[in-house]
Amino acid sequence: MSAPADPRTGWGLPAPGALPRTADLEPLVSRVLAPNASSMTLDGTNTYVVGAPGRGQAVVVDPGPPDAGHLAAVEAVLAARDARVVAVLVTHHHGDHAEAAQPWGARFGAPVGAATASVTGPGGRLLTTGDQLQLAGTTIGVVGTPGHTADHLAFRLESGAVLVGDHVLGRGTSVVTHPEGDVVAYLESLRRVHDLGPSALYCGHGPELTVDPSAVLDFYRAHRTYREEQLVGALAAGPQSVDQLVAQVYAAVPRELWPAAAQSTRATLAKLVAEGRVEPWADDAVALVAGP
């Protein structure tokens, strides 16, 4: 099986490190880039300010790290919109998205909304799939997108754009964390977002995807299938450990990303074990299940 083609390669997306600190993506949405760039966070965490123009209110999505400069940049966007924060929403519990949620909620006097109480804190709002949040002069739909993590949410806007957190990245592909991530749930979540027919994907990291969002979601699903078949092919040579599999399947990926690749590999192997295609072997190795 050949590697699926990434449709973003011909879109002229900003080069790594070239995203502006702030950008107005559409009348409803501004993006503020947090200063936490890394191999895992790409340019940094994207914090979104959402609200209907002229309403004087806004929602902050994924405040990210508790960085004073980042807070100042978000407050400058709020001032330019002449808006006060009425809610802080969080896609999932990872610190690069959620760490500042409760401190910012307290600063703005706004409740925190997320899928888990550990993120919302006391007085926050637990969100579930299907919730329609009437906030800041607009409606924000809550879409359950577990897979990257068990508590992952996306937020659909009235414009048709979807704030996808770490479910889809502006560059590369997302990690299915292990053991909290789940490949089957991740694939189902990709289909769920695809079925929404998004006009744009506003990612937790990297540039916005506006040319053909559905093609990116198709690529993501094909990529997961490709990695699965690579693992099965590698195991045809005999039992192997996760580290051995990562070294083969992700040979072209920078080694600094191999720990993340190992998480996705373990999550994929868990799927294959559940399907009866792979079985645990000695010393953390796995093997293909022998045929009848």
Side-chain angles (χ1 to χ4, degrees):
M1 180 181 182
S2 59
D6 187 339
R8 297 167 293 184
T9 55
W11 289 7
L13 296 176
L19 279 185
R21 184 68 182 271
T22 62
D24 294 326
L25 304 184
E26 59 172 88
L28 275 174
V29 184
S30 297
R31 182 188 65 224
V32 184
L33 180 63
N36 61 334
S38 72
S39 59
M40 291 298 296
T41 60
L42 306 182
D43 302 72
T45 298
N46 292 325
T47 297
Y48 294 97
V49 177
V50 180
R55 295 299 184 94
Q57 298 181 347
V59 174
V60 172
V61 180
D62 280 356
D67 179 89
H70 184 47
L71 174 60
V74 170
E75 290 183 327
V77 169
L78 291 166
R81 286 173 164 259
D82 192 23
R84 64 180 179 87
V85 177
V86 295
V88 176
L89 304 182
V90 183
T91 58
H92 63 297
H93 72 273
H94 284 168
D96 59 316
H97 293 257
E99 192 174 0
Q102 292 183 40
W104 285 21
R107 179 180 180 86
F108 295 130
V112 178
T116 55
S118 61
V119 175
T120 67
R125 176 173 178 177
L126 292 177
L127 304 177
T128 59
T129 296
D131 286 347
Q132 297 292 310
L133 309 177
Q134 306 296 324
L135 294 168
T138 190
T139 301
I140 300 174
V142 179
V143 184
T145 50
H148 171 70
T149 61
D151 67 334
H152 201 286
L153 301 173
F155 301 107
R156 188 175 191 271
L157 307 182
E158 287 184 340
S159 65
V162 181
L163 307 178
V164 287
D166 280 359
H167 189 57
V168 178
L169 305 181
R171 302 186 195 92
T173 54
S174 187
V175 175
V176 179
T177 59
H178 184 83
E180 63 176 340
D182 183 290
V183 170
V184 174
Y186 186 70
L187 293 171
E188 291 174 350
S189 295
L190 287 171
R191 294 186 186 95
R192 186 173 299 118
V193 176
H194 189 283
D195 289 347
L196 295 174
S199 61
L201 300 175
Y202 296 153
C203 308
H205 306 281
E208 64 274 13
L209 303 175
T210 60
V211 176
D212 191 348
S214 294
V216 178
L217 293 164
D218 289 337
F219 163 71
Y220 262 54
R221 287 189 288 178
H223 174 79
R224 290 262 59 91
T225 299
Y226 172 66
R227 289 300 194 206
E228 181 176 307
E229 292 307 312
Q230 282 185 298
L231 291 174
V232 171
L235 287 171
Q240 297 187 57
S241 69
V242 169
D243 287 345
Q244 290 172 321
L245 290 168
V246 168
Q248 293 180 65
V249 172
Y250 293 89
V253 174
R255 290 183 67 96
E256 64 194 47
L257 296 177
W258 282 14
Q263 290 194 52
S264 287
T265 296
R266 290 184 184 277
T268 302
L269 291 173
K271 172 181 180 290
L272 293 171
V273 168
E275 293 172 347
R277 299 173 63 190
V278 166
E279 61 185 350
W281 204 256
D283 299 324
D284 195 39
V286 293
L288 291 179
V289 173

